[in-house]
Amino acid sequence: MNITKEGVKVMKLADLPKQIGKEVMINGKSIALFHLTNGDVRAVLNSCPHKNGPLAEGIVSGEFVFCPLHDWKISLVTGEVQKPDNGCVETFDTQIIDEYIYVTV
Ligand code: FES
């Protein structure tokens, strides 16, 4: 793994299909990466604030992911759980540089 001031170089953008979450391990943390339909790349902790569901396996709709365990709807922009549920998942900055995804953990 290649660490720069931009963050950790994770993978090629072209290798991350849109709307399919992918788990990556960075500094011992399980991170869920998402390539949204608008082209943005988002990274959140791969652990639902409810009962640690693996968010990388959730269904993506727009800027939201639905947890695969109990269907909580979570913003991939702010990390906030949408009503009527409550909570927040940690988010991480991402950058695309020369076609590669970098995540700051
Ligand atoms: S663990 Fe995610 S909704 Fe329950």
Side-chain angles (χ1 to χ4, degrees):
M1 211 169 266
N2 191 351
I3 301 175
T4 69
K5 66 177 169 35
E6 291 86 9
V8 178
K9 187 177 186 179
V10 179
M11 64 187 295
K12 251 189 148 169
L13 179 61
D15 292 336
L16 184 63
K18 285 188 175 171
Q19 293 190 283
I20 308 286
K22 178 162 181 66
E23 180 192 10
V24 292
M25 291 298 294
I26 304 176
N27 296 345
K29 279 188 185 182
S30 172
I31 308 279
L33 267 187
F34 298 92
H35 192 181
L36 306 184
T37 47
N38 69 4
D40 285 356
V41 172
R42 300 286 169 181
V44 302
L45 196 65
N46 187 27
S47 178
C48 178
H50 181 214
K51 292 189 176 173
N52 302 323
L55 296 178
E57 295 173 20
I59 303 284
V60 178
S61 174
E63 65 181 56
F64 299 97
V65 64
F66 290 84
C67 177
L69 294 195
H70 316 98
D71 216 30
W72 277 20
K73 182 180 183 185
I74 300 171
S75 168
L76 294 171
V77 176
T78 64
E80 283 185 22
V81 173
Q82 306 298 294
K83 300 287 177 205
D85 304 302
N86 290 297
C88 197
V89 68
E90 189 176 1
T91 61
F92 303 95
D93 288 338
T94 60
Q95 290 188 72
I96 311 299
I97 302 170
D98 294 336
E99 319 246 318
Y100 277 85
I101 301 168
Y102 290 76
V103 179
T104 305
V105 175

